[in-house]
Amino acid sequence: MSSREEGGVTTPSGRRAREDAAPTGARISTEEARIQILKLLDVRLSGDATERWFKHMQLVVEDKNQVSVFVPTETHVLWIQENFLPELTHALSQVLGCGGRPRVLAMNGAAGGQLTLLEEPKRQSRASEAAAEALSKSLKSSGLNQLYTFDRFVVGGNNQFAHAACKAIAAGVRTAYNPLFIHGGSGLGKTHLMQAIGQDILKARPDAKVIYLTCEKFTNEFILAVQKGNLDNFRRRYRRANVLLVDDVQFLTGKEKSQEEFFHTFNTLLDGQAQVVLSSDRPASEIQTLEPRLVSRFECGLTVALQPPQLETRIAILRRKMEEWEVKIPDDWVRFIAQRIRSNVRRLEGALVRIATFNSLGQGELSTERIEDLLRDILREEAAAKVTIDTIQKTVADYYDIRLADMTSRRRPANIAFPRQVAMYLSRKLTGGSLVEIGEAFGGRDHGTVIHACKKVDQVMQTDDQVRQAVAALGDRLNR
Ligand code: ADP
Ligand code: MG
């Protein structure tokens, strides 16, 4: 197999392997280099880590000091960066003589969805091997990543409708869902669902022309085609598709010419009965400077929204990821992550990787403080995206029918003091703010007061059902 054709290792031309990696004077083949690196990693890593995290690795050597290592998903990236960067750097320097740290990238992102690898087919009959190979090829040329399947997608109230619509399209049901427009915040599964549609269709109809690409790639190719004067080729490629999946169309903001081209491609496809699926991080009508005719075109099929998952779904997602990655962390920690990270599944995965890494190093019990420390940057990102203390104060004041000013006042009758404590408790649970910040926001109280409030509410919740329900209801309301 030619590794270049297979998206394999690319070394700069004329590059020679280091002596400790290959016989003097021998030019190392790309696949050989990959295998040697895997072997070196295997010696240094414990258990089956090499198999699990590096098996699908692909290398692109840009120059002596810059190697890019492509791995299947962002989770692989995180895990490798957290755990194996020194070993990987060492192995690359041994085999390829590269200095410097490698860049670790997800195939389905930086590479524009083009570098896609399949899990190795199990030993099968010749015929099914050939079929698997054919499928692998068509998935790859369609820009699809085999890891994003419906099987691996956890369904909850937040995504049920979007999931059902995607399944219907994937099953080839002639739907009125054309185009299907999926919108929702970052990390909520838009790309995953689109890729799953593409894969199911290709599995059922290997001859279907399925194209997945990001809107950015579409735009870049369009500009290039204009520059090179081969717009016809460009048009033929996309307008021949049976299924066109265009990710992140909010990228069309401010790009008039691309919008125009997109509009025509789109009309051609819809007129020809091809299925179109689009995703965006916001509703079409909120994409700035998107031409009205495109907005109405985008919305003329079915529009579905992905919401952030509820707590139970977040826990189910974490459990599913633990199974997939074959890692285990205690239930308490799963719950902790799920409670604290609420707005983005990608971030949830990142936190799980961190904690599972810590756990796998056998460093023992984790206290809340230690977890917070480990997840500091992730929690900070999350805090920026989620409920503020302000919102909590308003919601709680509203719920208990007290004045907002009482959240910060010195007044202490129980009918005011307790709601205030509930608000502090929820601020602690939901905002990621420090004790000091929370105290500040409640009329300059000290952090001891916040600790006391949290303990008090915890205690009361254990004995008083009504309070427990009230706090749960408030949590839901704040969670949307
Ligand atoms: P988006 O395209 O909306 O930014 P992605 O589809 O890239 O989000 O999802 C981010 C990560 O979260 C991916 O690894 C994806 O597999 C995972 N993910 C998102 N939603 C779910 C879900 N419901 N079940 C399982 N994994 C999910
Ligand atoms: Mg995406």
Side-chain angles (χ1 to χ4, degrees):
M1 129 179 137
S2 148
S3 48
R4 188 178 277 277
E5 268 167 26
E6 294 299 321
V9 186
T10 313
T11 56
S13 59
R15 168 153 209 79
R16 274 160 199 259
R18 284 183 35 146
E19 285 168 20
D20 53 1
T24 315
R27 189 172 298 169
I28 193 163
S29 93
T30 51
E31 183 56 17
E32 250 175 313
R34 208 178 85 89
I35 292 169
Q36 288 197 26
I37 289 165
L38 288 175
K39 276 191 191 148
L40 277 181
L41 286 170
D42 215 25
V43 173
R44 294 173 76 111
L45 305 183
S46 61
D48 56 357
T50 313
E51 166 86 3
R52 184 167 313 137
W53 298 107
F54 291 97
K55 183 168 78 174
H56 296 311
M57 161 185 85
Q58 296 287 289
L59 308 177
V60 177
V61 182
E62 283 148 36
D63 68 44
K64 195 162 159 28
N65 292 314
Q66 190 57 73
V67 181
S68 298
V69 177
F70 286 92
V71 288
T73 67
E74 283 162 23
T75 307
H76 287 73
V77 174
L78 276 171
W79 191 277
I80 290 169
Q81 280 174 338
E82 289 285 324
N83 292 277
F84 307 128
L85 211 50
E87 289 84 356
L88 182 61
T89 309
H90 172 82
L92 287 167
S93 86
Q94 288 289 299
V95 177
L96 294 168
C98 307
R101 297 215 142 182
R103 286 194 303 171
V104 184
L105 301 164
M107 291 175 182
N108 183 49
Q114 284 306 295
L115 272 166
T116 304
L117 263 196
L118 284 171
E119 274 165 11
E120 266 157 37
K122 300 203 173 61
R123 285 268 145 234
Q124 290 159 329
S125 69
R126 280 260 173 94
S128 60
E129 250 176 41
E133 188 141 316
L135 178 64
S136 145
K137 270 209 175 118
S138 56
L139 286 181
K140 198 188 293 182
S141 67
S142 301
L144 297 170
N145 182 328
Q146 201 194 24
L147 296 178
Y148 292 130
T149 57
F150 283 118
D151 273 359
R152 290 172 185 249
F153 192 82
V154 177
V155 183
N158 61 309
N159 58 29
Q160 217 161 19
F161 185 44
H163 175 261
C166 292
K167 282 287 263 192
I169 289 172
V173 179
R174 273 236 166 268
T175 62
Y177 310 158
N178 205 9
L180 175 68
F181 188 89
I182 308 171
H183 68 88
S186 175
L188 292 182
K190 301 181 294 294
T191 299
H192 190 137
L193 281 174
M194 293 180 99
Q195 293 245 341
I197 294 176
Q199 290 191 57
D200 268 20
I201 291 179
L202 269 183
K203 280 176 197 155
R205 284 175 48 204
D207 58 332
K209 183 146 178 49
V210 176
I211 302 180
Y212 164 89
L213 84 171
T214 61
C215 189
E216 183 176 4
K217 183 158 189 279
F218 181 91
T219 307
N220 290 343
E221 285 190 8
F222 168 67
I223 294 168
L224 209 67
V226 172
Q227 282 168 357
K228 293 198 166 165
N230 53 11
L231 211 47
D232 280 352
N233 272 346
F234 171 83
R235 291 193 171 135
R236 217 171 302 126
R237 181 155 10 118
Y238 291 110
R239 295 186 188 181
R240 256 185 14 213
N242 303 118
V243 181
L244 182 65
L245 309 154
V246 186
D247 212 348
D248 292 322
V249 295
Q250 74 276 1
F251 194 78
L252 287 172
T253 295
K255 302 192 175 60
E256 268 171 48
K257 283 273 182 288
S258 298
Q259 288 191 16
E260 167 103 20
E261 183 60 28
F262 200 75
F263 181 71
H264 293 302
T265 303
F266 199 69
N267 284 340
T268 312
L269 286 170
L270 291 184
D271 291 346
Q273 306 272 305
Q275 174 71 50
V276 177
V277 182
L278 307 167
S279 87
S280 162
D281 68 356
R282 65 205 75 177
S285 56
E286 290 173 22
I287 301 178
Q288 275 177 13
T289 76
L290 189 66
E291 289 179 36
R293 59 177 181 168
L294 264 178
V295 176
S296 56
R297 257 323 205 169
F298 284 1
E299 289 176 341
C300 71
L302 178 71
T303 294
V304 293
L306 289 171
Q307 303 289 350
Q310 299 297 312
L311 179 65
E312 290 314 312
T313 310
R314 300 200 293 275
I315 291 176
I317 291 174
L318 288 171
R319 298 228 159 96
R320 176 71 61 84
K321 302 284 168 188
M322 291 198 298
E323 265 172 40
E324 274 169 30
W325 307 341
E326 295 175 39
V327 299
K328 186 117 194 67
I329 65 171
D331 277 351
D332 282 356
W333 301 356
V334 171
R335 202 155 248 288
F336 179 91
I337 299 174
Q339 275 167 346
R340 293 295 292 271
I341 297 171
R342 305 175 312 132
S343 62
N344 181 324
V345 179
R346 191 177 293 121
R347 215 173 274 147
L348 212 53
E349 290 180 342
L352 179 61
V353 166
R354 280 278 165 86
I355 301 294
T357 301
F358 183 90
N359 198 34
S360 70
L361 297 176
Q363 304 200 349
E365 283 297 299
L366 266 184
S367 61
T368 304
E369 286 71 29
R370 187 80 185 90
I371 300 186
E372 280 176 343
D373 201 40
L374 281 172
L375 302 181
R376 186 180 303 277
D377 52 332
I378 298 179
L379 290 174
R380 196 174 296 139
E381 276 175 25
E382 180 69 15
K386 68 183 179 186
V387 258
T388 59
I389 299 177
D390 265 354
T391 328
I392 293 175
Q393 291 178 335
K394 284 194 196 98
T395 312
V396 175
D398 188 44
Y399 185 87
Y400 284 101
D401 206 14
I402 61 174
R403 292 178 313 151
L404 180 57
D406 281 329
M407 286 290 160
T408 48
S409 77
R410 297 271 138 201
R411 301 200 321 135
R412 304 177 70 157
N415 68 328
I416 292 172
F418 189 66
R420 190 158 56 213
Q421 287 175 325
V422 168
M424 288 188 211
Y425 171 88
L426 286 169
S427 301
R428 183 79 181 128
K429 282 263 176 245
L430 303 180
T431 67
S434 70
L435 293 167
V436 174
E437 284 162 10
I438 295 170
E440 258 329 304
F442 283 82
R445 292 177 153 82
D446 70 5
H447 75 283
T449 310
V450 182
I451 294 179
H452 173 73
C454 294
K455 280 199 183 135
K456 170 82 183 291
V457 175
D458 251 328
Q459 267 168 12
V460 178
M461 277 167 62
Q462 278 172 26
T463 53
D464 187 332
D465 277 351
Q466 247 179 350
V467 170
R468 195 171 50 242
Q469 279 160 13
V471 173
L474 279 163
D476 282 351
R477 202 180 282 189
L478 288 159
N479 254 324
R480 260 182 284 161

